[in-house]
Amino acid sequence: MLQSWLPVPSDSDFSIHNLPFGIFSDERPARAGLAIGEWVVDLAAAYALNMFPHYPEAGSAFRKPVLNDLIALGRGFSEYVRKIVQAALCDRESALNQFSDHLLVPLKSVQMHMPLKVGNYTDFYSSEEHAFSVGQMFRPENPLFPNWKHLPVAYHGRASSIVVSGTPVPRPWGQTGQPGGVPAFKPTNALDYELELAFVIGKDSAIGRPVAVAEAEDYIFGLLLFNDWSARDIQRWEYQPLGPFTSKNFASSVSPWIVTWEALQHFRVPAPPQEPEPLPYLAHSPRQNFDLSLSVSIKPNNGEEFLVCKTHSRNIYWTAAQQIAHHTVTGCNLQPGDLLATGTISGREINQKGCLLEATLNGTQPVMLKNGVERRFLEDHDEVIMRGFGQKGDIRVGFGGLRGQVLPALHSFP
Amino acid sequence: MLQSWLPVPSDSDFSIHNLPFGIFSDERPARAGLAIGEWVVDLAAAYALNMFPHYPEAGSAFRKPVLNDLIALGRGFSEYVRKIVQAALCDRESALNQFSDHLLVPLKSVQMHMPLKVGNYTDFYSSEEHAFSVGQMFRPENPLFPNWKHLPVAYHGRASSIVVSGTPVPRPWGQTGQPGGVPAFKPTNALDYELELAFVIGKDSAIGRPVAVAEAEDYIFGLLLFNDWSARDIQRWEYQPLGPFTSKNFASSVSPWIVTWEALQHFRVPAPPQEPEPLPYLAHSPRQNFDLSLSVSIKPNNGEEFLVCKTHSRNIYWTAAQQIAHHTVTGCNLQPGDLLATGTISGREINQKGCLLEATLNGTQPVMLKNGVERRFLEDHDEVIMRGFGQKGDIRVGFGGLRGQVLPALHSFP
């Protein structure tokens, strides 16, 4: 069992087994760091002390305000960095301890930034419980479309508006359908969150060359916690026939820390069996998910925080490898910095639903926060807090949370 | 009337009024150029000769292998560059003439490259004739969805797989629905082109701040000719409920030359009236399109080329300004290098259809290329050639064509 000389609270997401990558700033500009307990390891400073002698090119990657260059150096590089820092954290004689005033920055004193410039963002629809219960609301006789069990349904989302945890999200204005046929234009009445995980692509694939499902996991750098904000009333009116557009492109939020592929390996579990069997290009064995505990809380304005969802990621129907194989099946290329999100992750029970659309049956059955305080959809000033972590024995690895507060809509429209 | 000392054929897309921007290479690396007649003006070399003294920062933008930095300098900058080159082309005493051996490179000797790194790509559905005739095939009782006349329907497309004219496109493999319910996996039998125009965004908008329709045109740097390759059989099976995905993400092709906003001004025409009147955030006056002649030809393997579509862009229902206002209505931000494509542009007549899906009524009525040679969808080795230009009196401004050849599918799937 690894033991650090740096005290790490036992319930910290940032154990010695995790060491996720992020971009932070203090009085100096934004740069790359690793989280450990209540500290950030300043990788640019560690590089200057010659802690990473095998990668002379790493210095410029560590000083960039996004992790894309670091990610593009490959998983071999990120493993190397984590191993060196892990060893240093376990060695009282290490330079990290000796120069800790210089190399360790308190987490509470830093500002976290968007960890990467997202190239392309794709949102899947891979939780069967989610697809089924949403489908049931709108097509009770036939909740899953005929394609759903044959391919991981997905759509291309908007990359430019992905923001880091802590960034407030104004309630959007938009068009909504009305009984008379003439649409209304007003701030959304059905603002929702979506609890998701997003895989960060770490490697280029060539255009015209599908990625084989057996090799697909090699393309994953790590994982983010992801909130795909949605305006349900706008979505309902606009989505036919080409899918959601302005109802989802106003913002998605990511955790500031990317948990690496290696740190996730402790939490592999078998994915649920698939019936019917998928086509050969989607068949792999063993099919595995990561078993992470996930939750969503709502914190009304200046109030306490209330748990509204407690679920996990072990039952996702389409694995990350299957998502990648399908994404590239016709020849689409992947690039480092792309995100592939799972889509809303839900369980069967009403308190396991990853969005309010499901948890409140489209606003008809409010969730109770406490006596007299309920929610059908999000209200102004609500803060949405998502958490995610894996725990296996004493090993805990997590994202450190993902927060975003709803701001009131613009007073009048431009 | 501007008159260049450099002979320009009267049917050239690259008149003195055009001067579009592109990225070219010869024995030296890729860099920025302007097209004139049968020549490229080497902007990096012209900069070195101090032709652009008011923008000392332009040198590095001209030497980049994509135009993004140049575009981000703003429309004031690109107008300045074009004005200086235009004046030099009309002045026999100019440095451009004096050092023409050094500054002018024959178009036929250069290789053209992808002109920009596309940040985000959005595809609209703004031609009423297209939306109506596609809708009619699949929903004859109700061809246009109720939202279509109230908002410019669109979806987010894939930016990574956008390629420059001349890049071949392999026939993709993919899933298609079958009568028994079990999908097939095979190369597409319904490969199609889509004739479109794509606006290049030249200016940042802030997240959470919708762009007012009256200011929306300020965000446009220029225009590309655009071919959104599509696999119709794959699209039909996958698109519900979140829109097209692998049927369109394998490739889109762009013209190598970006025609600037200023060069397009000669061709403004009133856009078709809208009934019902759109919501105020989409209302502007005068609503205008650009009147460009557009065509598609198919050139079977080593054969001659046959015209299969001749149409124009003056009747597009939703203007570029309306597309931008709607894209940002909920708060989505735009960034220099984003593309907003019109969607397939079609006219009413069967020979004005911008894709084969429409021209052949979903493959049921083949188009005749010549005696005995017909097409329902594209065949291997077919080259698709799109052209577009505006002509007003002697003023001609065009894209110089957009070509892409279909390659046979991979022999066996990875």
Side-chain angles (χ1 to χ4, degrees):
Chain A
M1 185 71 189
L2 296 167
Q3 188 59 52
S4 174
W5 44 261
L6 192 71
V8 175
S10 64
D11 65 345
S12 171
D13 281 356
F14 305 140
S15 72
I16 184 92
H17 306 279
N18 190 355
L19 303 180
F21 287 89
I23 294 288
F24 74 102
S25 66
D26 44 15
E27 67 281 4
R28 281 166 299 157
R31 57 203 188 277
L34 288 184
I36 173 74
E38 287 157 352
W39 302 86
V40 181
V41 179
D42 182 335
L43 291 173
Y47 173 84
L49 278 177
N50 203 26
M51 275 183 66
F52 310 109
H54 291 93
Y55 281 86
E57 68 273 40
S60 88
F62 289 147
R63 288 188 300 268
K64 291 276 164 65
V66 285
L67 293 171
N68 296 58
D69 287 3
L70 186 157
I71 291 169
L73 288 172
R75 226 152 68 181
F77 171 69
S78 53
E79 283 182 60
Y80 166 84
V81 171
R82 287 178 63 255
K83 286 265 183 276
I84 285 186
V85 173
Q86 209 166 48
L89 282 166
C90 295
D91 173 9
R92 291 195 173 274
E93 311 302 313
S94 67
L96 190 58
N97 197 354
Q98 211 176 330
F99 299 101
S100 61
D101 281 2
H102 184 53
L103 299 181
L104 293 176
V105 186
L107 245 182
K108 66 174 188 298
S109 75
V110 304
Q111 185 181 350
M112 295 305 299
H113 299 267
M114 186 65 199
L116 73 174
K117 162 95 178 144
V118 179
N120 282 263
Y121 149 52
T122 304
D123 201 19
F124 283 83
Y125 194 50
S126 287
S127 157
E128 184 174 0
E129 290 298 344
H130 171 65
F132 188 88
S133 36
V134 170
Q136 206 168 31
M137 275 181 248
F138 302 109
R139 298 173 305 276
E141 71 297 338
N142 197 6
L144 289 182
F145 277 102
N147 57 16
W148 200 91
K149 293 245 166 169
H150 294 285
L151 53 81
V153 168
Y155 68 101
H156 296 291
R158 181 77 187 180
S160 70
S161 54
I162 300 179
V163 296
V164 72
S165 174
T167 310
V169 174
R171 177 181 300 274
W173 287 69
Q175 274 198 39
T176 48
Q178 299 297 323
V182 180
F185 185 64
K186 56 174 201 257
T188 174
N189 281 326
L191 186 60
D192 202 355
Y193 52 79
E194 288 192 334
L195 170 66
E196 308 194 13
L197 294 168
F199 290 94
V200 179
I201 296 297
K203 196 168 124 173
D204 270 302
S205 78
I207 191 167
R209 308 299 304 188
V211 173
V213 66
E215 288 155 27
E217 290 188 347
D218 297 347
Y219 288 79
I220 301 173
F221 174 79
L223 196 59
L224 288 162
L225 197 54
F226 195 85
N227 178 359
D228 193 26
W229 302 89
S230 301
R232 302 301 185 185
D233 42 2
I234 299 172
Q235 184 175 356
R236 203 145 45 240
W237 170 237
E238 75 173 357
Y239 88 101
Q240 277 185 316
L242 297 178
F245 181 48
T246 64
S247 58
K248 286 180 176 273
N249 71 7
F250 58 93
S252 306
S253 304
V254 297
S255 60
W257 296 102
I258 307 180
V259 172
T260 65
W261 182 250
E262 294 72 37
L264 290 169
Q265 300 308 310
H266 302 288
F267 311 106
R268 279 189 182 270
V269 286
Q274 294 188 313
E275 175 55 43
E277 226 174 273
L279 283 161
Y281 82 96
L282 292 172
H284 67 130
S285 179
R287 279 177 60 253
Q288 294 180 321
N289 283 328
F290 299 106
D291 184 15
L292 304 181
S293 298
L294 303 170
S295 71
V296 185
S297 298
I298 295 177
K299 183 169 170 291
N301 201 13
N302 297 323
E304 46 187 325
E305 144 185 358
F306 297 93
L307 191 73
V308 288
C309 165
K310 195 161 159 32
T311 186
H312 55 77
S313 59
R314 57 180 176 270
N315 286 343
I316 294 177
Y317 192 83
W318 295 104
T319 65
Q322 290 177 314
Q323 291 180 356
I324 289 172
H326 184 64
H327 200 311
T328 62
V329 63
T330 54
C332 180
N333 55 331
L334 299 176
Q335 296 173 330
D338 289 347
L339 292 189
L340 272 61
T342 53
T344 307
I345 301 171
S346 291
R348 190 176 299 265
E349 305 304 324
I350 194 71
N351 59 359
Q352 295 181 315
K353 300 302 186 182
C355 63
L356 287 172
L357 175 72
E358 279 176 270
T360 69
L361 299 174
N362 193 21
T364 60
Q365 304 287 333
V367 292
M368 194 61 68
L369 303 190
K370 63 172 174 180
N371 247 351
V373 181
E374 54 179 42
R375 286 293 180 273
R376 292 166 197 270
F377 287 103
L378 293 168
E379 300 199 356
D380 289 350
H381 307 292
D382 280 354
E383 187 175 25
V384 176
I385 304 156
M386 295 182 174
R387 294 189 174 85
F389 63 92
Q391 179 104 40
K392 196 171 178 186
D394 288 339
I395 297 179
R396 180 171 165 131
V397 167
F399 298 95
L402 165 55
R403 312 175 80 101
Q405 192 183 22
V406 177
L407 298 185
L410 295 171
H411 251 294
S412 61
F413 198 78
Chain B
M1 186 71 188
L2 296 167
Q3 187 62 52
S4 172
W5 44 260
L6 193 73
V8 175
S10 65
D11 65 346
S12 172
D13 280 357
F14 304 140
S15 71
I16 183 94
H17 305 280
N18 190 354
L19 304 180
F21 287 89
I23 294 288
F24 74 102
S25 65
D26 44 15
E27 67 282 2
R28 281 166 298 155
R31 58 204 187 275
L34 289 184
I36 173 76
E38 288 157 350
W39 301 86
V40 181
V41 179
D42 182 335
L43 290 173
Y47 173 84
L49 279 176
N50 203 26
M51 274 183 67
F52 310 109
H54 291 93
Y55 282 87
E57 67 273 39
S60 88
F62 290 146
R63 288 189 298 269
K64 290 276 163 65
V66 285
L67 293 171
N68 296 58
D69 286 3
L70 186 156
I71 291 169
L73 288 173
R75 226 154 68 183
F77 172 69
S78 52
E79 284 182 59
Y80 165 84
V81 171
R82 288 176 64 256
K83 287 264 183 276
I84 285 186
V85 173
Q86 210 168 45
L89 282 165
C90 295
D91 173 9
R92 288 196 175 275
E93 310 302 313
S94 67
L96 189 59
N97 196 357
Q98 211 177 330
F99 299 100
S100 62
D101 282 3
H102 184 52
L103 298 180
L104 293 176
V105 187
L107 246 181
K108 65 174 189 298
S109 74
V110 305
Q111 185 182 350
M112 296 305 300
H113 298 268
M114 186 64 200
L116 74 174
K117 162 95 180 145
V118 179
N120 282 263
Y121 149 53
T122 304
D123 201 19
F124 283 83
Y125 193 50
S126 287
S127 158
E128 184 175 359
E129 291 297 346
H130 171 65
F132 188 88
S133 37
V134 170
Q136 206 167 32
M137 275 182 247
F138 302 109
R139 298 174 305 277
E141 70 297 338
N142 197 6
L144 289 183
F145 277 102
N147 57 17
W148 200 92
K149 293 245 166 169
H150 294 285
L151 53 81
V153 168
Y155 67 102
H156 296 290
R158 181 78 186 179
S160 71
S161 54
I162 301 179
V163 295
V164 73
S165 174
T167 310
V169 174
R171 177 180 298 276
W173 288 68
Q175 274 199 41
T176 48
Q178 299 297 323
V182 179
F185 186 64
K186 56 174 200 260
T188 174
N189 281 326
L191 186 59
D192 202 355
Y193 52 80
E194 289 192 333
L195 170 66
E196 308 194 15
L197 294 168
F199 289 94
V200 180
I201 296 298
K203 194 168 124 173
D204 271 302
S205 78
I207 190 166
R209 307 300 303 189
V211 174
V213 66
E215 288 154 26
E217 290 188 347
D218 296 346
Y219 288 80
I220 302 173
F221 174 79
L223 197 60
L224 289 161
L225 197 55
F226 195 85
N227 178 359
D228 192 28
W229 302 90
S230 300
R232 301 302 185 184
D233 42 2
I234 299 172
Q235 185 176 354
R236 205 148 40 242
W237 171 237
E238 75 173 0
Y239 87 101
Q240 277 187 316
L242 297 178
F245 181 49
T246 64
S247 58
K248 286 181 174 273
N249 71 8
F250 58 93
S252 307
S253 304
V254 296
S255 59
W257 296 102
I258 306 179
V259 173
T260 65
W261 182 250
E262 293 71 39
L264 289 169
Q265 300 308 310
H266 302 289
F267 311 106
R268 278 189 182 271
V269 287
Q274 294 188 312
E275 174 56 44
E277 226 174 273
L279 283 162
Y281 82 95
L282 293 171
H284 67 130
S285 180
R287 279 177 59 254
Q288 295 179 320
N289 283 327
F290 298 106
D291 184 14
L292 304 180
S293 298
L294 303 169
S295 71
V296 185
S297 298
I298 294 176
K299 184 169 171 289
N301 203 12
N302 298 321
E304 45 188 325
E305 137 182 6
F306 298 93
L307 191 72
V308 288
C309 165
K310 197 163 157 29
T311 186
H312 56 78
S313 58
R314 60 182 174 268
N315 287 343
I316 295 176
Y317 191 83
W318 294 105
T319 64
Q322 290 177 314
Q323 291 180 357
I324 288 172
H326 184 64
H327 201 310
T328 61
V329 65
T330 54
C332 180
N333 55 330
L334 299 176
Q335 296 173 329
D338 289 348
L339 291 189
L340 271 61
T342 53
T344 308
I345 301 171
S346 291
R348 192 175 297 265
E349 305 305 324
I350 194 73
N351 59 0
Q352 295 181 315
K353 301 302 186 183
C355 63
L356 286 171
L357 175 72
E358 279 176 88
T360 69
L361 299 174
N362 194 20
T364 60
Q365 305 287 333
V367 293
M368 194 62 67
L369 303 189
K370 62 174 176 181
N371 248 349
V373 180
E374 54 178 42
R375 287 292 181 274
R376 292 166 197 271
F377 287 103
L378 293 169
E379 299 199 356
D380 289 348
H381 307 292
D382 280 354
E383 188 175 25
V384 176
I385 304 157
M386 296 183 174
R387 294 189 175 84
F389 64 92
Q391 179 104 40
K392 195 169 179 188
D394 288 340
I395 298 179
R396 181 171 164 130
V397 167
F399 299 96
L402 166 56
R403 312 174 80 101
Q405 192 183 23
V406 178
L407 298 186
L410 295 170
H411 253 293
S412 61
F413 197 80

